C-alpha cells in the first residue's frame, strides 16, 4: 500500500514545491523533442534512416555537453547558463523547425539538431543538486528525490503522446516548436525558483583546476559504470519488446506495452518513496537491479501477447526505484562543490547506455529472436548489480 503522507510533507516544503513545477515544464523536452524530430522528418521525407540520424544527433549533443555544463554550474552558479539557454534553446529549436519545414540542406538539420541538444537547459542536475539544501536535515529528502524521479517518468509518459497529437493534427513540426517553448519558458521560470536561489559557491572551488573534475571520485565512477549497464538494459528491453510485438503480429501494441511499463515503474517508485526501508541505500540500489534482472528474464518466457503485457509490467516495477536510489547515492559520493557535474555525468551515462542498448537490441532481435534481446537486458541489469557491490564503501566518503 502506498502511503501518501510522506509526499504531502515533502510538497508542504515551500522551497521544494515552488521549484518543482517550473522544473517539470523545463524538462518536458526530454520526452518530446527527439521524438518530435523523428516524426516530423519521417512525415517530411518518408526516410526512417534520416529521421533516426537527426534525432540521434540531438541526443548526442545533449549527452556530450552535459558534464561541461554541470561543471560550469558548480563553478559559476546556475544563473548565467540558465539565462543563456532559456533564450538560445527555443531559438535553435525554431530554426531547426524552419530548416526542416522549408527543405533546407540536410547538413543544416544535423548541425542545428546537435546545437539544440547542447543548449537544452540542464534543469534536472540543478534541481537534484538543490534538494539537499532545500530540505537540509529533513527526512523528506528521500521522498523529494523520489518525486523528482517520478517527474522524469511523467515526462517520458506525456511527451510521446503530445508529439503524436501534433502529428495527428497535421502539424508535426509544431511539436518541435512546443518542445523549444517549454524548455525556454520553464528554464526562465526556474531561474527565479528557490532551487536556484539556494546555490552558494563552495570555498576554493573557483580556483580549482582539474581536467578529470568529478571523475576523480571513485564512488562516482562506480555509480557511472553500474548506471551504464542498467541503461543498456533499458534500451535492450525496449527494442526486445518492440520486436516481440512484431513477432506476435501486433506491432501496434508496442506503444501500449511500453506505456504500461511506465505506469508500473512510476507505481513502484511511489511505493518506494512512501516508506522507510531497512538496509543501506547502496543495498537498495543493488537489490533493485537484481530484481529487475530476474523479472526481465521471465519476460523472455512470454508466449502470447497477454503474457507479454503482464510480465513486462511486472518487470518494470523496480526500474524507477533503482534510479531514485541512484540519485540519492550521487549526493553521498559527490565531491564538495561538484554535485551538479556529478548529476550531468549520470545523465550522460543513461543517455549513452539507452542508445547503445537500443542499437544492440535491434541487432539481437533480428530473425525472430526478440527473446534474445530481452534476455540480454536481464543479463545487463545483473552485471550492473554485480558491479554495484563496491559502491557501499564510498557512501559518505
Amino acid at each position: 500500500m502506498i502511503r501518501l503522507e510522506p509526499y504531502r510533507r515533502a510538497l508542504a516544503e515551500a522551497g521544494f514545491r515552488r521549484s518543482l513545477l517550473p522544473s517539470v515544464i523545463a524538462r518536458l523536452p526530454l520526452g518530446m523533442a527527439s521524438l518530435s524530430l523523428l516524426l516530423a522528418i519521417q512525415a517530411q521525407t518518408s526516410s526512417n534512416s534520416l529521421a533516426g540520424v537527426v534525432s540521434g544527433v540531438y541526443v548526442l549533443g545533449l549527452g556530450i555537453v552535459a558534464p561541461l555544463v554541470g561543471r560550469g554550474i558548480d563553478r559559476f552558479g546556475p544563473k548565467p547558463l540558465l539565462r543563456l539557454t532559456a533564450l538560445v534553446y527555443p531559438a535553435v529549436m525554431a530554426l531547426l523547425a524552419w530548416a526542416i519545414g522549408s527543405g533546407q540542406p540536410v547538413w543544416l538539420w544535423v548541425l542545428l539538431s546537435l546545437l539544440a541538444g547542447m543548449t537544452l537547459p540542464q534543469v534536472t542536475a540543478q534541481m537534484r543538486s538543490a534538494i539537499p539544501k532545500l530540505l537540509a536535515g529533513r527526512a523528506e529528502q528521500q521522498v523529494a528525490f523520489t518525486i523528482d524521479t517520478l517527474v522524469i517518468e511523467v515526462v517520458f509518459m506525456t511527451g510521446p503522446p503530445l508529439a503524436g497529437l501534433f502529428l495527428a493534427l497535421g502539424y508535426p513540426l509544431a511539436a518541435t516548436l512546443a518542445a523549444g517553448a517549454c524548455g525556454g519558458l520553464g528554464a526562465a521560470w526556474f531561474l527565479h525558483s528557490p532551487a536556484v536561489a539556494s546555490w552558494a559557491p563552495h570555498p576554493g572551488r573557483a580556483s580549482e583546476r582539474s581536467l578529470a573534475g568529478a571523475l576523480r571520485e571513485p564512488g562516482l565512477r562506480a555509480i557511472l559504470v553500474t548506471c551504464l549497464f542498467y541503461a543498456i538494459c533499458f534500451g535492450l528491453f525496449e527494442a526486445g519488446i518492440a520486436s516481440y510485438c512484431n513477432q506476435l503480429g501486433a506491432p501496434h501494441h508496442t506503444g501500449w506495452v511500453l506505456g504500461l511499463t511506465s505506469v508500473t515503474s512510476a507505481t513502484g517508485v511511489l511505493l518506494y518513496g512512501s516508506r522507510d526501508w531497512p538496509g543501506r541505500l547502496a543495498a537498495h540500489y543493488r537489490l533493485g537491479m537484481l530484481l529487475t534482472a530476474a523479472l526481465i528474464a521471465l519476460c523472455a518466457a512470454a508466449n502470447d501477447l497477454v503474457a507479454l503485457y503482464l510480465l513486462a509490467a511486472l518487470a518494470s516495477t523496480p526500474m524507477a526505484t533503482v534510479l531514485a536510489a541512484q540519485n540519492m547515492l550521487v549526493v553521498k559520493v559527490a565531491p564538495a562543490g561538484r554535485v551538479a557535474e556529478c548529476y550531468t555525468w549520470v545523465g550522460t551515462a543513461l543517455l549513452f547506455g539507452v542508445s547503445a542498448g537500443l542499437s544492440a537490441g535491434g541487432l539481437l532481435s533480428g530473425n525472430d529472436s526478440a527473446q534474445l534481446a530481452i534476455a540480454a537486458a536481464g543479463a545487463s541489469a545483473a552485471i550492473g548489480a554485480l558491479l554495484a557491490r563496491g559502491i557501499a564503501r564510498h557512501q559518505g566518503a
Side-chain angles (χ1 to χ4, degrees):
M1 181 70 70
I2 297 172
R3 294 170 54 235
L4 297 180
E5 182 56 32
Y7 293 99
R8 293 194 189 98
R9 290 200 304 268
L11 292 172
E13 298 290 334
F16 176 66
R17 186 180 65 252
R18 287 167 50 206
S19 302
L20 189 63
L21 182 55
S23 84
V24 174
I25 295 171
R27 287 183 279 187
L28 280 174
L30 292 173
M32 189 177 179
S34 61
L35 181 61
S36 74
L37 291 173
L38 185 77
L39 296 175
I41 294 171
Q42 283 177 340
Q44 183 85 2
T45 67
S46 300
S47 172
N48 291 331
S49 58
L50 179 58
V53 168
V54 176
S55 60
V57 165
Y58 174 89
V59 176
L60 178 66
L62 178 61
I64 60 177
V65 80
L68 295 176
V69 173
R71 189 176 296 194
I73 292 168
D74 285 328
R75 185 169 181 183
F76 303 110
K79 289 184 179 180
L81 283 167
L82 269 178
R83 291 192 183 105
L84 179 64
T85 54
L87 293 172
V88 174
Y89 179 71
V92 174
M93 290 292 277
L95 281 173
L96 180 54
W98 164 79
I100 295 170
S102 61
Q104 299 301 309
V106 169
W107 66 263
L108 184 60
W109 301 5
V110 174
L111 179 63
L112 289 172
S113 183
L114 181 68
L115 186 59
M118 293 172 68
T119 56
L120 176 70
Q122 294 291 331
V123 170
T124 297
Q126 295 171 46
M127 184 66 192
R128 291 174 180 171
S129 302
I131 285 174
K133 299 172 184 175
L134 295 173
L135 298 167
R138 302 292 300 274
E140 285 75 23
Q141 272 193 43
Q142 176 174 329
V143 183
F145 275 112
T146 302
I147 292 172
D148 194 73
T149 303
L150 187 61
V151 164
I152 299 298
E153 289 290 316
V154 171
V155 161
F156 280 103
M157 278 192 284
T158 57
L162 285 173
L165 176 62
F166 283 110
L167 179 65
L169 293 174
Y171 303 100
L173 287 170
T176 304
L177 293 171
C182 288
L185 292 172
W189 186 7
F190 187 75
L191 183 62
H192 302 285
S193 71
V196 172
S198 69
W199 183 86
H202 184 265
R205 178 68 182 86
S207 60
E208 185 182 346
R209 298 289 188 273
S210 170
L211 289 176
L215 290 178
R216 293 180 302 169
E217 172 54 49
L220 176 64
R221 294 199 301 269
I223 290 174
L224 289 178
V225 172
T226 61
C227 175
L228 183 64
F229 276 95
Y230 199 59
I232 290 172
C233 161
F234 289 167
L236 285 166
F237 184 67
E238 185 172 334
I241 292 296
S243 180
Y244 214 162
C245 288
N246 194 52
Q247 281 181 214
L248 294 169
H252 55 287
H253 278 267
T254 300
W256 291 104
V257 175
L258 293 175
L260 180 61
T261 63
S262 294
V263 172
T264 55
S265 180
T267 303
V269 79
L270 273 172
L271 176 61
Y272 177 68
S274 70
R275 297 178 180 276
D276 293 323
W277 300 93
R280 299 189 70 183
L281 191 56
H284 299 174
Y285 184 53
R286 189 169 67 252
L287 181 60
M289 282 190 279
L290 285 172
L291 187 57
T292 301
L295 293 174
I296 285 180
L298 290 176
C299 286
N303 54 11
D304 58 37
L305 197 59
V306 173
L308 183 63
Y309 266 99
L310 294 175
L311 292 174
L314 182 64
S316 65
T317 304
M319 286 182 176
T321 66
V322 173
L323 299 181
Q326 175 183 275
N327 291 333
M328 290 180 271
L329 278 171
V330 170
V331 173
K332 293 181 178 295
V333 304
R338 290 192 179 274
V339 180
E341 183 185 348
C342 287
Y343 276 119
T344 50
W345 274 116
V346 169
T348 295
L350 279 168
L351 287 172
F352 286 177
V354 170
S355 297
L358 284 168
S359 300
L363 294 173
L364 290 172
S365 58
N367 300 319
D368 294 332
S369 56
Q371 294 92 331
L372 183 58
I374 294 174
S380 186
I383 292 170
L386 291 174
L387 294 172
R389 294 181 64 182
I391 292 177
R393 67 174 177 268
H394 300 295
Q395 272 189 253

